[in-house]
Amino acid sequence: MSKPERPVSLDSILQHQGFGTRRACRVLVHQGRVAVDGVVIDDPDATFLTEGLNFSVDGEPWVARAQVYLVLHKPVEVEVSRKPQHHLSVHALLPGPYNERGVQAAGRLDTDTSGILVLSDDGMFVHALTSPKREVAKTYEVTLVHPDDGDLVHRLRSGVQLRDEDEPTVAHSVVQVAPNRLQLVLTEGKYHQVKRMIAAAGNRVAWLHRSAIGAFRLPADLPAGKWRELTPAERESLFAEPPAPRRG
Ligand code: URA
């Protein structure tokens, strides 16, 4: 059984939520810039229960979380890296305090790939989502450069030989949704895996979008570039079987 939560001082809550050093957080509170449930608190030693605490800093509302779990709709031309080379980083799409507290992406998407990206500061959760042993299913919507020659799906299902791999790489499932569109589910996370598999099967990827992780689909009301918190049930569903394919 988990231990009951203990009240914690406001400066320490703010520090953990990514608002700077303990000293900087004490200053924020002393300056009257922090409110809890709409009431300005100027005592940094005042204590509160952290999880779900509604607070604001300079009028901006926040909900305190022991750990944070986010889904981001990654647009193209954004890099999944803290040190981007040529484009904006996905971290630039998140509020500063989340980056301060060490939120990291669970896996990568190429700069020209859009779709669902999960981020968290819970290292065990990130590890579980990305560990090959867990075989978490990732669903990709693939638009091909050339219409399928009739055998592509079969080749991807039976396995294609990638350079530097000992064994053929097999898709968990592949469904043809249109002459030049596939829905491909993979349970590994090899480098550029979709593009390399399609190339090894004799075609090329024109456009790539990750539509689901496990049974959790990218929410239709989450526009590209936007993020939101995942609910505990949504977190669980990331580890469940993928949704049935949607034929176009
Ligand atoms: N496979 C790729 O080739 N690119 C991605 O971004 C994800 C999977």
Side-chain angles (χ1 to χ4, degrees), residues 108-110 113 140 190-196 208:
R108 287 177 166 257
L109 287 177
D110 296 336
T113 302
Y140 294 93
K190 293 175 185 163
Y191 182 66
H192 292 326
Q193 186 169 346
V194 176
K195 290 174 188 162
R196 288 164 66 214
L208 187 57

Side-chain angles (χ1 to χ4, degrees), residues 70-206:
L70 307 175
V71 52
L72 171 80
H73 183 163
K74 180 197 170 295
V76 295
E77 307 215 330
V78 171
E79 292 183 35
V80 184
S81 166
R82 283 194 181 273
K83 294 189 181 150
Q85 305 273 310
H86 304 292
H87 299 87
L88 202 66
S89 162
V90 284
H91 291 277
L93 301 174
L94 302 177
Y98 285 155
N99 294 319
E100 269 302 306
R101 58 187 289 182
V103 159
Q104 55 174 316
R108 287 177 166 257
L109 287 177
D110 296 336
T111 304
D112 58 359
T113 302
S114 60
I116 181 169
L117 189 70
V118 168
L119 302 104
S120 176
D121 60 353
D122 178 345
M124 295 220 312
F125 169 80
V126 170
H127 181 260
L129 258 190
T130 51
S131 165
K133 284 193 198 132
R134 293 293 293 263
E135 298 192 348
V136 173
K138 270 87 60 178
T139 303
Y140 294 93
E141 311 298 327
V142 186
T143 304
L144 301 163
V145 169
H146 310 289
D148 181 8
D149 61 5
D151 201 35
L152 184 70
V153 169
H154 170 73
R155 287 201 288 277
L156 292 167
R157 278 195 193 131
S158 48
V160 288
Q161 190 59 51
L162 303 182
R163 217 163 4 144
D164 302 330
E165 297 287 336
D166 296 335
E167 305 282 326
T169 299
V170 181
H172 177 80
S173 71
V174 196
V175 173
Q176 183 159 10
V177 286
N180 68 336
R181 282 180 41 223
L182 301 179
Q183 191 175 79
L184 182 63
V185 179
L186 303 179
T187 53
E188 307 142 289
K190 293 175 185 163
Y191 182 66
H192 292 326
Q193 186 169 346
V194 176
K195 290 174 188 162
R196 288 164 66 214
M197 286 180 75
I198 300 289
N203 206 315
R204 274 175 52 212
V205 171

